[in-house]
Amino acid sequence: MDTVESTTKLSTDKLLAAAYAETGLNDFGDFDPREGLARFVQDINDNVLLNEAGRASISGIMNRWLVNGLRFAHDLKKHPEILDEQVDDPLFILGMTRVGSTKLQRLLAADPDTLSIRHWESMNPSRIPNAVAGEEDPRIGIDREIVEAMIKNNLGLMQSHSVKIDDAEEDIFVQLPTFKTVGHCWVVPVPNYYDWVRSESLHESYVFLKQMLQYLQWQQGGRQSENGDRRWILKTPPHIGNMDLLADLFPNAKYVFMHRDIHEVIASTCRLIEMLFRTCMDVVDMHAVGDYVLRLWSEEMDRHLRQLDALGSQIDLIDVQYDRLRKDTFGVVRDVYTMMGRDLTPRREEAMRLWEENDSHGEFGSYSYSLEQYGLTPEKVDAAFAEYNRRYFQK
C-alpha cells in the first residue's frame, strides 16, 4: 500500500489530549489503551489512505472510545458496587457476519425479561455527566445524530446492517475502548494491528467486557425486574476465536453457533466491509477487501474450532443453520429457551412475534454481491474453510 502523507497523519498524543480535555479525566484505571491505540494509529498512518471526511470520522470514533474508557474508569472508582452485579450466565450468539445472528439477537431481545445493549448504549456505554434525571438521556440524542449521518452518508452500509437507536446491538462496541480487539480490524484495513492483537493475550479485553456488562446492568436498574431474573442476550462475530475467554469469564453462559453457506457469508461480508471502508476512503481495492476478509475470518474460525474441541462438553451450545432460522424461527427460539432453562411464556412469545411483524429489515433497499467482485472463487473460499465445511456442511 502507498504510505500516507505526513500532513494527514493521525496523532496518538492529540487524540489522548482531546479525550483528557473533554472529560477532565486522565486515568483509564486497570485498562490502559495506549499501546493498542498507538499500534492502531500507526497502521492507519502507514497503510490507509483516509480522505478528509474519513480522518475526521476516525478521529471522532477514537475520541469516543477514549472518552468512554475514561468515564467508565471514573464511575467504577466512584461506585465499586458495580462489580457486584451478576452477569456470568448470558446467552452468546456466535458465528461469522451475515449468518442471521442479528435477527436472532433482536428477536430474543424483544423478550421484556431480558437485557441487551441498545444501539445508543453501544455507541456511548459510559454515563455522560450532564444527564438530568427525568429527561432523555443525552446519549440517545447523540446516537440519533449518528444514525441519521449513516443514512445520509452511507446508505449502502445501512442496507447491509440497518440500525435504530433502540435496536439490540453487538457487545463488541463496548469493548472497543480497550484498543485490543479483533473488532477494530473491521473499521479500517489494519493487518499489522491484527497481527499484534493476535500475538497478545486478550484476557484483559474480556475482563473489560464483563465489567462493562456489569456497568450497563447497574445503569439499567440491576438484574431483577418485576417479572423476575433477567439474562443478557449478546452477540458479536469477533467472539469467534475467543471462546476460551468467554468460557473462563462467563462460566454459566449458553451459546448458539449460527451457520450459513460459506460462499454467501464471505461474499456478503466483503460487501459489508467494503461499505465500512468507503465511509473513510475514496478508493477501495475490491480484491484487497476479499483477501483481507478471507484471511481474518479463516484464521479466526480455525482458532474457534480448536477452542471448541478443547472445551468439549464444558459448554452448552446448540448449532443453528441460517435456513432453519428463516423457515422455523420459533422452533429455533424454543430450542434456545430449552437450553437456557427458560420458559417461553405467552407474554414473551407475543413480544417476539410483535417484533418480527414490525421488523423493518430491508427498508433501505436491496443490494447484490458476489465472490468474483472481490477477486475470490468458491474453490479459494472452500480451501480456506475446509475444516469448517467438513464439520458443518458435508453430509
Side-chain angles (χ1 to χ4, degrees):
M1 298 182 183
D2 294 333
T3 300
V4 180
E5 294 295 330
S6 60
T7 55
T8 67
K9 287 183 181 293
L10 300 169
S11 167
T12 300
D13 289 342
K14 289 181 179 179
L15 287 164
L16 287 167
Y20 297 156
E22 180 174 341
T23 61
L25 305 169
N26 60 12
D27 181 6
F28 288 101
D30 294 335
F31 306 100
D32 191 335
R34 283 172 289 191
E35 182 181 5
L37 169 66
R39 290 182 178 274
F40 187 62
V41 166
Q42 186 65 52
D43 207 2
I44 294 172
N45 283 339
D46 288 348
N47 297 305
V48 182
L49 292 171
L50 296 173
N51 56 31
E52 184 176 352
R55 285 192 297 277
S57 175
I58 292 297
S59 294
I61 290 169
M62 288 192 284
N63 171 264
R64 189 170 73 239
W65 296 338
L66 292 169
V67 164
N68 275 276
L70 289 165
R71 287 176 174 160
F72 169 60
H74 181 69
D75 263 355
L76 200 57
K77 186 178 295 185
K78 287 180 61 180
H79 300 281
E81 70 272 16
I82 288 170
L83 299 185
D84 294 333
E85 294 288 337
Q86 198 274 316
V87 297
D88 72 347
D89 58 351
L91 175 74
F92 284 106
I93 302 170
L94 306 171
M96 292 183 285
T97 45
R98 327 309 295 158
V99 294
S101 57
T102 296
K103 175 179 179 176
L104 182 58
Q105 183 201 19
R106 292 178 180 171
L107 180 70
L108 296 176
D111 176 346
D113 304 320
T114 61
L115 288 163
S116 61
I117 301 173
R118 293 162 290 191
H119 190 268
W120 63 267
E121 292 170 310
S122 75
M123 294 294 100
N124 284 289
S126 298
R127 299 188 305 172
I128 294 177
N130 64 358
V132 178
E135 296 184 4
E136 181 181 78
D137 192 305
R139 292 175 290 177
I140 295 175
I142 292 170
D143 193 47
R144 191 174 290 116
E145 293 179 1
I146 291 172
V147 173
E148 288 173 356
M150 290 169 63
I151 296 171
K152 178 181 178 181
N153 299 324
N154 196 334
L155 193 60
L157 180 58
M158 293 294 280
Q159 290 172 339
S160 296
H161 183 75
S162 63
V163 298
K164 292 185 173 67
I165 59 174
D166 287 322
D167 279 343
E169 193 48 86
E170 297 176 6
D171 45 295
I172 187 62
F173 289 106
V174 305
Q175 267 185 297
L176 295 176
T178 66
F179 282 88
K180 191 182 279 188
T181 78
V182 173
H184 293 87
C185 302
W186 301 120
V187 180
V188 284
V190 282
N192 295 329
Y193 172 83
Y194 172 74
D195 290 339
W196 172 74
V197 166
R198 276 308 177 199
S199 72
E200 296 283 307
S201 168
L202 300 188
H203 184 266
E204 180 183 84
S205 181
Y206 275 81
V207 171
F208 186 90
L209 170 62
K210 182 175 183 177
Q211 292 188 2
M212 266 291 183
L213 292 175
Q214 291 173 308
Y215 182 39
L216 288 166
Q217 183 169 290
W218 175 78
Q219 291 179 50
Q220 293 190 30
R223 183 180 173 100
Q224 298 298 317
S225 71
E226 62 181 30
N227 294 297
D229 200 35
R230 299 190 290 178
R231 299 271 289 274
W232 280 96
I233 307 297
L234 303 170
K235 79 101 177 179
T236 279
H239 288 327
I240 292 288
N242 298 298
M243 278 294 299
D244 54 344
L245 297 170
L246 293 180
D248 179 37
L249 291 165
F250 301 94
N252 296 310
K254 308 293 185 184
Y255 303 90
V256 178
F257 191 8
M258 303 288 299
H259 306 279
R260 187 182 181 187
D261 176 83
I262 198 64
H263 305 142
E264 287 291 318
V265 169
I266 293 300
S268 184
T269 300
C270 284
R271 203 266 180 180
L272 171 64
I273 299 307
E274 176 201 346
M275 293 299 104
L276 284 167
F277 290 176
R278 288 194 185 281
T279 63
C280 57
M281 302 164 63
D282 288 330
V283 178
V284 175
D285 183 331
M286 302 281 275
H287 287 199
V289 169
D291 290 341
Y292 186 71
V293 168
L294 190 65
R295 182 206 166 192
L296 264 62
W297 264 138
S298 61
E299 291 186 13
E300 293 302 295
M301 181 56 74
D302 285 344
R303 290 175 62 88
H304 185 66
L305 296 179
R306 291 194 299 269
Q307 289 168 2
L308 285 181
D309 289 342
L311 289 166
S313 60
Q314 297 176 49
I315 60 172
D316 292 325
L317 178 149
I318 60 173
D319 295 291
V320 174
Q321 291 284 346
Y322 175 81
D323 286 343
R324 186 187 169 212
L325 179 65
R326 291 177 59 241
K327 297 173 183 176
D328 183 26
T329 301
F330 279 85
V332 171
V333 170
R334 283 187 284 273
D335 287 349
V336 172
Y337 270 56
T338 297
M339 177 180 64
M340 294 174 70
R342 188 175 180 86
D343 293 331
L344 183 58
T345 64
R347 174 177 176 269
R348 291 168 175 170
E349 182 170 345
E350 181 182 1
M352 291 187 216
R353 290 191 182 277
L354 181 63
W355 177 87
E356 188 173 41
E357 289 173 9
N358 294 322
D359 179 25
S360 56
H361 177 73
E363 67 177 305
F364 295 105
S366 60
Y367 58 94
S368 62
Y369 50 82
S370 70
L371 290 174
E372 291 72 24
Q373 288 175 270
Y374 301 97
L376 300 174
T377 64
E379 293 76 17
K380 189 173 183 179
V381 172
D382 286 340
F385 288 90
E387 178 60 17
Y388 175 72
N389 276 337
R390 185 190 70 77
R391 294 193 191 198
Y392 297 101
F393 288 95
Q394 289 184 5
K395 297 179 180 180

